[in-house]
Amino acid sequence: MSFRVVHYINQFFAGIGGEDKADVPPELRQGVVGPGQALAAALGSEAQVVATVICGDGYFAENLEKATADILQMIRSCNPDAVVAGPAFNAGRYGTAAGAVCAAVSKELGIPAVTGMYPENPGVDMFRKSAVIAKTADSARGMKDAVPAMARLVLKLLRKEELGSPEAEGYLEQGLRKNFFTDVTGAERAVEMLVNKLAGKPFVTEYPMPVFDRVAPNPPLKDLANATIALVTSGGICPKGNPDHIEASSATKYGEYGLEEFDLLTASSHETAHGGYDPTYANNDPNRVLPVDVMREMEKEGVFKKLYGKFFTTVGNGTPVANAKRFGAEIAAKLKKDGVDAVILTST
Amino acid sequence: MRLELHKISITGLELGSVTALKGGVLTVDEKAVLEMLRTDSRFAEVAVDVARPGERTRITPVKDVVQPRCKLEGPGEVFPGFIGDVETVGSGKTLVLDGAAVVTCGQIVGFQEGIVDMSGPGAAYTPFSGTFNLVLVFTPVEGLEKHDYESACRTAGFRVAHYLASAVKTARADVVESYELPPFNVAMTAHAGLPKVAYLYMLQSQGLLHDTYVYGVDAKRIIPTLIHPNEVMDGAIVSGNCVSACDKNSTFSHQNNPVIRALYARHGRDINFVGCIITNENVTLADKKRSSSYAVKLASMLGVEGLIISEEGFGNPDTDLIMNCRKAENSGMKTVLITDEYAGRDGASQSLADACKEADAVVTGGNANEMILLPPMEKVIGFPTFVNVIAGGYEGALREDGSLLVELQAITGATSELGFSRISTCTK
C-alpha cells in the first residue's frame, strides 16, 4: 500500500491561465495535473498523487479564510496521508497560498505538508515555522530540482523519520530550536570555544542572539496642556467577560474598547485576561494596570487636554514577537489617524 | 592552594545494619541514618530508599542531590557553615564516594522540584540516573513553614552525605586527583604566552526559596568576590534552591562543577586559569547593576583576557547574564556564556529574555520546553502526584497508567547551565 498525497497548485501551473485567470475559485481534480506528473514520478511507488487542488492566486489572496477552509475541505475529502504544495519559486502570492495551505493542513489535519520556494519569496517568512519549505530556484526553470527535493522531504516525513539539518536536507531553516546530544559536555564545549575565541580562531555560537527591535523614544511633548493621550496595555485589562477572548498567553489578537463612559475601572466593569501573573490585585482594582482613575483626575485638573476615548489591550505573556509587532503597528496607525499626541503604555 | 580528591568508585548500594564498604559496594546502616534524621523535630516522617542505575525506578519530587564527601586531611570540614565550621576549605585531602549520591525528596514548593528516572528515555537527560542513589523522603510536621522545611531538607542531605563518607574513611581510594592553583603573584607571571582566564560563576539568589549559600551565607547578601575553585569542591557553595529542576545547580553539581574541571583540564596547556569569581542574581535593578559591575571589575583587576560565565535559572537571571557579558566584553575581555533555552514546546520562540550583540559565543544546555514522554515505572519513590504541578508538568501530566508527558524542565539537571550534560540545541 502506498501513501496518498494531495497536490496543491495555482491556476498557472494547472494550465488554466495567467493573471487573467487568477480569480478562479478552488477546484478539486482526481489524479495529477501539470507539475504533479513530475511529483508522482519522484514519489515512485512509495506514494501516489491521488488528487490535485487548484486555486487562483488572486482568489486565494482576496478570500483568505474562505479559500483556506474550502481547500482544506477538498483535501480532507481525499483522505490523504500528506500534502505537497507548489513549488511556488519566487511567486509571492502563490508562495503565500502554498504556505497557508501547508500550515492549515499541518494544524487541522495533523499530516505532513511540504512546499517549495525561493528563499526570498514572501511566503517563506510568513510560513517557515509552520510548513516545511524545500529550497528552490527563483523560477520554474528550477522545476527538475525542486520537485524531487519536495518528494524526498515528504517521503521522509511520511516514514516518520526526523529531518536532519536544513543544509543536509535541502529545506529552508524553520527557526525551530531542537535539542540533540553531543559527544562532549557543555562545560568542555564552553572552554573549547573560549580557547578559540581568545586565539582569534573561528568558533560557532550555539545560540545566535536574536536582534531586538530598539525603538528610539520620540522627543517630549511640547504642549502637554493641549495633548490628547491614549492608554495602551499589554497587561490584559478588558471589559468583564473578555468579550473578544484574548488568549491568556501567546495572544493572537488585541482588543479596542471604549473609555468615554468610565471615570474609573472597577472590579465589576473590567478584569484581566492575562495568564502570566497573579491576577488578584488587577481584578480587584483594574486601574492598577490601566490607570483610568488617575488619568481622569489629571484630565479634570487640566494637566492634559483629553484622555482618548478608547484603550487598546492585549496579553504580553509568551506572545510571539511577530504578533506583538503587528499589534503595535496597527494600534499606532489607528492612534495617529485619530490625532492622538502621546500614549502611556503599561505592562505588568 | 592544593587539594587531593581521594575517589572511591562506588559500584553498588545496599541497605543493611552497618555502614561499610566492600568491593565497591556501599552498605548503609538504615537505622543509623533514620535515627540521625529523626532528631530533627521538623520532620514528621523520614523514609530511606535506594535507586540504582538501570532500575525501573522514578524519584520525584527531587529537591537536591549531594555527593558524599568528607575531609581526610587539611583545615575545616566539607559543607562549611552547615557541617563544618566556617573554616576555609579547599586544601589537604578530601574523600569522595564517586558514583554515589544522596537524593533528597520533599514537597516544598511542589511545582519546583524535579524527576529522576533511573532507566528509560528520561534517564539520558539526568546525570543522576547514573549514580547509586540513597534517597531520603521527608514529610514535614503539620504547619511547618516552607522555608523551615527547605532548610531542614537541605541540612539533612549534607548530614547524610558527610556521614556516609566519614563512615568509610579508612577505605583505600581507587584514584587520587590533585588540583592546585598558585597565589596570584605567581599566577600572573606563570605560563607565559597563555591567555589568563577566570570563571564568573553566577549563583541563583532571587530569594523566596531561590537561594544559594556560600560558607553558610545567603548569596543575595554578598558582593561579588573571589573564591578558590578548590573550595567549591569541598562544598563551600551549596544549593538551597527550589527553582525549576532542569537548570538549578544541585549541591552535587557545585561540588563537581564541570566548568572548573574543564578549566583545570586545559590549564597550563591552552590557558592560564587564574581563579573563580562568584556573583549573584538578585531581583532589583540596583543589585543587578552593582553585582555585574563589581564582578567585571574583579576580573579586570585580575587582568584576565577571557571569562567563562555560567548562569543559573532563566528569565530574570538572563538580564544578569547579559549585563555581565556586555560589561566584560566592553572592558576588553572575551566571554563565553553557558545558558539554556525556553524556546517554547515547538522551539519557535525567542530563547532568552534578554540579548546583546556582544554575546557572540554561547553554549546552550538545551531547550527546557521540549516535551518528553516518560513511561510508567515499576517503582516510584517520593510523592508522585506532585508531577501535576511541577514546572514543566501540568494538570493531567500524570496519566492513569503512570506515564508522564512533561517538559524537560521537570527533569533534574536536564539542561544544566554549568554545562554538566551533553545536550545542545540547533536551529532547524
Side-chain angles (χ1 to χ4, degrees):
Chain A
M1 203 199 84
S2 65
F3 293 114
R4 298 166 62 82
V5 171
V6 171
H7 190 204
Y8 174 86
I9 55 174
N10 71 355
Q11 87 286 348
F12 177 75
F13 283 97
I16 295 173
E19 194 54 39
D20 55 322
K21 295 288 182 191
D23 58 348
V24 299
E27 173 196 352
L28 176 69
R29 291 193 204 167
Q30 295 307 309
V32 299
V33 178
Q37 202 128 20
L39 178 63
L43 291 170
S45 57
E46 247 188 295
Q48 52 171 326
V49 178
V50 292
T52 305
V53 175
I54 301 155
C55 181
D57 288 336
Y59 181 90
F60 194 97
E62 280 155 32
N63 305 278
L64 204 62
E65 278 183 29
K66 181 169 163 36
T68 307
D70 291 350
I71 289 167
L72 210 51
Q73 186 50 40
M74 289 174 183
I75 291 172
R76 193 183 269 124
S77 73
C78 302
N79 198 24
D81 299 303
V83 169
V84 172
F89 305 108
N90 200 21
R93 287 183 310 172
Y94 188 17
T96 307
V101 167
C102 287
V105 164
S106 358
K107 189 169 172 229
E108 302 296 331
L109 307 184
I111 57 173
V114 172
T115 179
M117 297 184 211
Y118 182 63
E120 286 171 26
N121 190 314
V124 171
D125 269 351
M126 293 168 75
F127 297 105
R128 69 187 322 150
K129 287 192 179 182
S130 42
V132 174
I133 307 175
K135 185 179 174 182
T136 74
D138 62 350
S139 77
R141 282 191 301 277
M143 188 68 88
K144 71 173 190 332
D145 295 325
V147 170
M150 286 165 41
R152 206 164 47 237
L153 287 165
V154 81
L155 285 175
K156 206 156 185 190
L157 293 170
L158 279 166
R159 292 183 212 121
K160 302 205 183 307
E161 292 172 7
E162 197 173 328
L163 294 184
S165 71
E167 299 75 32
E169 304 269 7
Y171 64 96
L172 295 171
E173 188 180 282
Q174 293 193 277
L176 303 178
R177 301 289 288 164
K178 293 284 178 204
N179 292 338
F180 66 98
F181 283 94
T182 66
D183 296 333
V184 284
T185 67
E188 289 162 329
R189 303 200 303 274
V191 175
E192 173 70 17
M193 201 182 284
L194 184 63
V195 166
N196 286 327
K197 190 171 173 179
L198 285 165
K201 289 185 188 157
F203 61 90
V204 180
T205 184
E206 296 178 7
Y207 178 64
M209 285 282 147
V211 180
F212 284 122
D213 230 359
R214 302 276 178 198
V215 181
N218 275 333
L221 285 175
K222 286 201 184 77
D223 185 9
L224 184 60
N226 283 307
T228 299
I229 298 180
L231 287 175
V232 176
T233 187
S234 60
I237 299 298
C238 58
K240 191 94 177 164
N242 188 9
D244 294 310
H245 308 290
I246 298 171
E247 297 89 341
S249 71
S250 304
T252 62
K253 56 190 135 187
Y254 61 89
E256 72 183 275
Y257 307 106
L259 275 181
E260 300 284 11
E261 59 189 290
F262 296 102
D263 277 336
L264 49 85
L265 309 182
T266 63
S268 56
S269 70
H270 289 77
E271 64 181 8
T272 181
H274 205 292
Y277 63 89
D278 178 353
T280 314
Y281 304 104
N283 285 341
N284 285 347
D285 181 357
N287 301 286
R288 286 174 170 143
V289 177
L290 195 78
V292 175
D293 52 354
V294 177
M295 291 298 281
R296 285 287 182 226
E297 280 169 30
M298 294 174 91
E299 187 183 28
K300 275 185 201 126
E301 288 165 17
V303 177
F304 59 89
K305 189 176 169 202
K306 187 174 162 38
L307 176 62
Y308 178 61
K310 286 189 285 193
F311 72 99
F312 292 88
T313 180
T314 189
V315 165
N317 181 27
T319 302
V321 174
N323 286 358
K325 208 168 168 176
R326 176 170 63 81
F327 302 163
E330 289 179 16
I331 292 168
K334 289 180 186 179
L335 294 172
K336 212 170 162 184
K337 184 169 155 275
D338 287 353
V340 171
D341 298 294
V343 181
I344 292 175
L345 299 166
T346 63
S347 66
T348 43
Chain B
M1 190 180 274
R2 178 185 158 88
L3 176 68
E4 284 183 8
L5 293 184
H6 289 240
K7 293 189 167 179
I8 296 175
S9 181
I10 301 299
T11 53
L13 180 63
E14 303 292 339
L15 294 177
S17 55
V18 61
T19 300
L21 187 66
K22 197 176 174 189
V25 178
L26 179 67
T27 304
V28 177
D29 181 346
E30 183 179 3
K31 210 172 136 213
V33 169
L34 288 173
E35 275 172 8
M36 177 168 72
L37 297 176
R38 282 174 183 155
T39 58
D40 191 331
S41 58
R42 294 173 290 188
F43 297 132
E45 203 183 316
V46 183
V48 176
D49 212 327
V50 168
R52 305 173 186 89
E55 288 181 343
R56 294 185 49 74
T57 300
R58 171 165 298 145
I59 316 170
T60 191
V62 171
K63 182 205 177 287
D64 196 12
V65 185
V66 189
Q67 188 174 50
R69 292 188 179 198
C70 71
K71 292 303 288 182
L72 293 172
E73 271 179 29
E77 185 48 271
V78 295
F79 310 120
F82 295 96
I83 299 300
D85 193 2
V86 288
E87 191 59 59
T88 299
V89 291
S91 59
K93 295 176 181 173
T94 298
L95 181 71
V96 179
L97 300 191
D98 194 21
V102 174
V103 175
T104 56
C105 280
Q107 15 185 348
I108 299 153
V109 185
F111 53 86
Q112 290 178 337
E113 274 89 36
I115 299 168
V116 169
D117 276 4
M118 300 307 291
S119 63
Y125 289 92
T126 176
F128 309 115
S129 60
T131 48
F132 288 87
N133 299 326
L134 186 73
V135 187
L136 311 174
V137 183
F138 301 108
T139 308
V141 292
E142 215 177 297
L144 184 69
E145 205 267 332
K146 283 189 186 304
H147 297 86
D148 291 331
Y149 185 21
E150 188 281 323
S151 159
C153 292
R154 172 171 18 110
T155 315
F158 305 152
R159 287 171 76 191
V160 173
H162 176 249
Y163 161 77
L164 293 177
S166 303
V168 298
K169 237 177 186 175
T170 54
R172 208 184 142 79
D174 297 303
V175 184
V176 177
E177 296 170 357
S178 70
Y179 295 93
E180 184 173 17
L181 288 184
F184 289 132
N185 63 332
V186 178
M188 291 303 132
T189 53
H191 307 293
L194 294 184
K196 286 196 271 293
V197 167
Y199 172 31
L200 178 50
Y201 191 171
M202 296 171 61
L203 307 177
Q204 177 57 262
S205 62
Q206 287 179 266
L208 301 175
L209 297 169
H210 297 19
D211 301 307
T212 304
Y213 297 88
V214 183
Y215 280 92
V217 175
D218 184 340
K220 66 171 140 336
R221 303 215 176 90
I222 67 165
I223 263 194
T225 188
L226 294 164
I227 195 166
H228 194 288
N230 293 1
E231 297 176 80
V232 178
M233 298 179 186
D234 271 346
I237 299 174
V238 299
S239 168
N241 210 340
C242 301
V243 75
S244 287
C246 64
D247 58 10
K248 74 173 181 183
N249 298 329
S250 59
T251 298
F252 188 107
S253 52
H254 286 300
Q255 294 169 291
N256 290 280
N257 186 312
V259 177
I260 289 175
R261 276 187 291 163
L263 286 167
Y264 259 123
R266 307 286 289 262
H267 174 60
R269 187 152 57 91
D270 302 302
I271 52 169
N272 179 8
F273 176 31
V274 298
C276 227
I277 300 160
I278 49 171
T279 186
N280 51 19
E281 302 175 346
N282 289 8
V283 288
T284 69
L285 183 60
D287 280 335
K288 289 175 187 298
K289 285 158 76 174
R290 182 188 305 112
S291 288
S292 55
S293 291
Y294 206 102
V296 168
K297 179 203 66 185
L298 288 176
S300 296
M301 287 170 74
L302 292 175
V304 298
E305 291 144 78
L307 265 186
I308 301 273
I309 309 177
S310 69
E311 187 187 4
E312 182 173 6
F314 63 96
N316 188 298
D318 293 346
T319 57
D320 300 277
L321 178 73
I322 294 300
M323 273 190 200
N324 286 328
C325 169
R326 193 189 299 124
K327 289 177 183 179
E329 289 276 344
N330 290 340
S331 307
M333 285 171 265
K334 302 256 192 284
T335 61
V336 170
L337 316 183
I338 311 178
T339 181
D340 66 347
E341 302 181 41
Y342 287 75
R345 290 179 181 180
D346 60 359
S349 301
Q350 208 161 267
S351 298
L352 298 180
D354 200 3
C356 68
K357 65 176 188 323
E358 290 86 355
D360 62 356
V362 179
V363 166
T364 173
N367 175 17
N369 294 130
E370 206 164 285
M371 301 292 284
I372 183 168
L373 181 65
L374 304 175
M377 290 285 161
E378 276 165 20
K379 179 178 174 183
V380 178
I381 306 175
F383 307 89
T385 52
F386 263 74
V387 168
N388 279 336
V389 291
I390 62 180
Y394 47 90
E395 190 61 42
L398 177 60
R399 298 165 167 196
E400 275 196 8
D401 67 353
S403 66
L404 299 169
L405 184 64
V406 293
E407 294 184 6
L408 286 182
Q409 197 180 159
I411 298 180
T412 300
T415 60
S416 162
E417 293 165 290
L418 292 179
F420 214 103
S421 80
R422 291 183 161 78
I423 303 170
S424 181
T425 310
C426 61
T427 304
K428 279 194 176 175

